[in-house]
């Protein structure tokens, strides 16, 4: 997405084909590759879970791929991202090694947290990923702390704190909003509204269902975004990041999205109908939507097949690595408990 500098909002004009004139073929293909990688990776993770190779909780990101990929495209070096337990997609979008992510899911020594974090607790400072967090809403306060660090150091970086519609009702979220606006902290709060939280629709759990308005009492601006459109996500993300980076304080993005699977692998999702899910898949799927843009940009089916084959290879390699990587040595039980002083 061409800009005068990364992080600046694009003008958002469309050409005669309806494709955003600031998004080139190469970037569209990159979006497609990254979204498809998340989709296929998560599908394989679901298979490994069913085989008993992944234990504990496992929350899949299928259906929400456009958010992680679109937002990642507008980050600059040094920006941080932090999210909740539905985190695999964010890790892959951030550039973490699929082998290490999958191996962490299976609890192996080759995992990003050496097999001790599992699905919900991975971390990679090199890519700016400050963790998936299992406590609902906790990452919002931590993400605000990252923004405070940026503000204190004056480094020009922005923290992106992701949370869902369920976490949006947590008290610490509003304490964080107040502090962030009071001190004009450089943070973008990204609410991934997949409409069901753990299993209750937003209409039954929230008195204000327009989550981008949740910052109104703190004078924090917000915007509703089509979270199934990767370009819309990137454009809105760029605007929000520029707002925060320029010293104007926090911004709230409500990404309207939809998860295809249950809350976790143990959730049969009986609180919604099969017809509802199928309708979203057929009419709003983020990858299919991008394919339409790719066709208008001159990308052929053969071009997509090349990407499909590469993604299939990467995911198969990750699954094999996760299956064959050794388990952690028992001595790992005693590491990373306390900060070890330098000798």
């Amino acid at each position: 997405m061409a800009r005068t500098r990364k992080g600046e909002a694009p003008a958002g004009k469309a050409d005669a084909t309806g494709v955003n004139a600031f998004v080139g073929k190469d970037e569209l293909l990159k979006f497609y590759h990254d979204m498809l990688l998340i989709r296929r990776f998560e599908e394989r993770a679901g298979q490994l879970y069913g085989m008993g190779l992944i234990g504990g909780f496992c929350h899949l990101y299928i259906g929400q791929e456009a958010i992680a990929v679109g937002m990642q495209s507008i980050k600059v070096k040094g920006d941080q991202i932090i999210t909740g337990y539905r985190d695999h997609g964010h890790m892959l979008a951030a550039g973490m090694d699929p082998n290490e992510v999958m191996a962490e899911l299976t609890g192996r020594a080759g995992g990003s947290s050496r097999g001790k974090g599992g699905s919900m607790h991975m971390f990679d400072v090199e890519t700016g990923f400050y963790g998936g967090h299992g406590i609902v809403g906790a990452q919002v306060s931590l993400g605000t702390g990252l923004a405070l660090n940026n503000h204190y150091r004056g480094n020009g970086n922005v923290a992106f704190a992701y949370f869902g519609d369920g976490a949006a009702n947590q008290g610490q979220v509003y304490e964080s909003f107040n502090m962030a606006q009071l001190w004009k902290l450089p943070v973008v709060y990204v609410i991934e509204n997949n409409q069901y939280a753990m299993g209750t629709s937003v209409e039954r759990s929230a008195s204000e269902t327009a989550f981008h308005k949740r910052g109104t009492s703190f004078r924090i601006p917000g915007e509703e975004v089509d979270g199934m459109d990767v370009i819309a996500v990137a454009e809105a993300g760029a605007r929000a990041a520029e707002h925060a980076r320029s010293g104007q304080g926090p911004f709230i993005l409500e990404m309207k999205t939809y998860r295809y699977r249950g809350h976790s692998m143990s959730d049969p999702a009986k609180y919604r109908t099969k017809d509802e899910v199928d309708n979203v898949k057929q009419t709003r799927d983020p990858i299919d939507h991008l394919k339409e843009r790719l066709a208008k940009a001159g990308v052929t089916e053969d071009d997509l097949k090349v990407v499909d084959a590469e993604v299939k290879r990467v995911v198969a390699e990750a699954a094999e690595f996760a299956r064959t990587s050794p388990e952690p040595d028992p001595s790992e039980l005693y590491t990373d408990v306390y900060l070890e002083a330098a000798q």
Side-chain angles (χ1 to χ4, degrees):
M1 189 172 296
R3 306 184 182 95
T4 55
R5 69 179 181 86
K6 196 171 184 182
E8 183 178 6
K13 296 179 181 178
D15 60 21
T17 67
V19 177
N20 188 295
F22 295 92
V23 181
K25 176 180 176 180
D26 289 344
E27 185 154 19
L28 286 171
L29 278 171
K30 179 68 164 55
F31 284 158
Y32 178 75
H33 172 276
D34 293 351
M35 290 167 64
L36 188 65
L37 174 60
I38 294 172
R39 177 73 58 92
R40 298 292 178 252
F41 183 97
E42 294 288 68
E43 289 171 346
R44 182 59 65 90
Q47 292 172 356
L48 295 181
Y49 190 94
M51 296 166 61
L53 295 175
I54 297 175
F57 291 102
C58 185
H59 306 82
L60 302 182
Y61 201 63
I62 298 173
Q64 301 182 205
E65 299 91 348
I67 300 172
V69 171
M71 290 299 296
Q72 184 67 34
S73 74
I74 58 87
K75 281 174 69 267
V76 305
K77 186 174 178 58
D79 288 351
Q80 309 105 337
I81 56 176
I82 188 168
T83 188
Y85 39 74
R86 198 177 307 281
D87 52 1
H88 318 150
H90 289 281
M91 299 168 195
L92 296 173
M96 290 177 66
D97 185 345
N99 287 4
E100 293 185 1
V101 177
M102 193 73 86
E104 188 60 38
L105 292 178
T106 58
R108 303 304 178 98
S112 59
S113 297
R114 298 198 293 278
K116 298 189 292 183
S119 174
M120 298 190 289
H121 303 104
M122 301 191 210
F123 196 90
D124 187 53
V125 175
E126 289 186 11
T127 59
F129 183 76
Y130 280 75
H133 296 267
I135 303 300
V136 177
Q139 73 275 19
V140 180
S141 299
L142 295 172
T144 304
L146 292 171
L148 176 59
N149 174 70
N150 295 335
H151 179 72
Y152 183 80
R153 295 177 183 272
N155 57 22
N157 291 129
V158 172
F160 296 88
Y162 295 81
F163 56 106
D165 47 287
N169 293 322
Q170 291 287 316
Q172 67 265 37
V173 170
Y174 299 95
E175 295 173 2
S176 299
F177 283 178
N178 185 61
M179 177 185 288
Q181 179 65 356
L182 188 64
W183 293 347
K184 301 297 182 186
L185 301 183
V187 56
V188 175
Y189 297 110
V190 186
I191 304 174
E192 297 188 89
N193 180 6
N194 62 31
Q195 304 174 54
Y196 283 99
M198 286 187 67
T200 304
S201 68
V202 294
E203 290 79 11
R204 296 179 59 205
S205 61
S207 59
E208 173 55 87
T209 59
F211 291 96
H212 61 286
K213 297 180 180 178
R214 290 293 185 96
T216 300
S217 62
F218 303 98
R219 300 180 180 176
I220 300 175
E223 179 180 346
E224 181 181 299
V225 185
D226 181 358
M228 307 296 266
D229 182 341
V230 66
I231 295 177
V233 169
E235 291 180 345
R239 291 190 294 271
E242 186 64 19
H243 176 93
R245 207 182 304 279
S246 64
Q248 299 179 70
F251 199 96
I252 297 173
L253 293 174
E254 178 191 356
M255 301 290 180
K256 298 295 287 292
T257 186
Y258 197 88
R259 57 171 166 78
Y260 293 169
R261 303 292 183 91
H263 171 68
S264 70
M265 286 296 296
S266 60
D267 173 21
K270 293 183 178 179
Y271 40 82
R272 58 187 184 180
T273 65
K274 183 178 183 298
D275 287 343
E276 177 184 310
V277 179
D278 288 343
N279 180 63
V280 175
K281 289 180 179 180
Q282 293 166 11
T283 62
R284 297 187 61 215
D285 184 80
I287 296 177
D288 288 344
H289 180 70
L290 181 58
K291 279 185 176 180
E292 295 175 4
R293 290 181 179 268
L294 285 163
K296 291 178 181 179
V299 177
T300 67
E301 283 294 328
D302 287 340
D303 294 329
L304 296 183
K305 287 180 181 178
V306 172
V307 178
D308 295 352
E310 171 60 14
V311 166
K312 183 178 180 180
R313 181 193 66 78
V314 170
V315 172
E317 181 181 296
E320 181 63 16
F321 180 79
R323 188 183 66 82
T324 59
S325 182
E327 294 187 353
D329 188 274
S331 64
E332 284 288 350
L333 286 171
Y334 304 99
T335 63
D336 302 319
V337 179
Y338 299 105
L339 176 64
E340 296 179 11
Q343 298 297 322

